[in-house]
């Protein structure tokens, strides 16, 4: 996944350089080419493709937290005692 992202950034960077150096192109056009063809779509794709990994990490953290809670403290009263008014 990272290799494809690097290749895409390389292609977009070359497009931006060609835009900046062409006689009809501008540096502003090159900036927007880099932003709209490279950074924005790539960030969305990498975020979506990373969702399963984030889910696995979250579930693993929840499972380890549940294992730590089991037996770490002495069991208490299941119901809080009521205070007597004096």
């Amino acid at each position: 996944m990272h290799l494809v992202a690097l290749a895409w950034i390389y292609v977009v960077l070359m497009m931006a350089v060609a835009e900046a150096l062409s006689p009809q192109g501008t540096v502003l056009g090159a900036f927007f080419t880099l932003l709209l063809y490279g950074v924005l779509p790539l960030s969305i794709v990498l975020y979506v493709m990373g969702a399963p990994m984030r889910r696995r990490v979250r579930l693993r953290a929840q499972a380890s937290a549940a294992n730590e809670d089991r037996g770490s403290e002495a069991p208490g009263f299941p119901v809080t005692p009521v205070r007597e008014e004096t």
Side-chain angles (χ1 to χ4, degrees):
M1 178 170 68
H2 295 329
L3 184 61
V4 173
L6 285 173
W8 182 253
I9 283 293
Y10 176 76
V11 168
V12 171
L13 185 64
M14 291 297 113
M15 287 172 51
V17 168
E19 171 94 22
L21 296 179
S22 83
Q24 291 88 13
T26 62
V27 175
L28 183 63
F31 173 74
F32 281 112
T33 298
L34 186 65
L35 185 69
L36 296 177
Y37 281 118
V39 175
L40 185 65
L42 195 60
S43 64
I44 293 169
V45 168
L46 289 177
Y47 178 77
V48 170
M49 296 296 285
M53 182 186 62
R54 288 191 307 273
R55 182 173 185 259
R56 279 193 304 266
V57 168
R58 186 181 69 236
L59 291 175
R60 201 173 293 148
Q62 288 175 351
S64 67
N67 286 339
E68 284 179 7
D69 288 344
R70 215 181 290 157
S72 63
E73 294 182 16
F77 292 106
V79 178
T80 307
V82 179
R83 260 174 70 176
E84 294 291 328
E85 301 229 2
T86 57

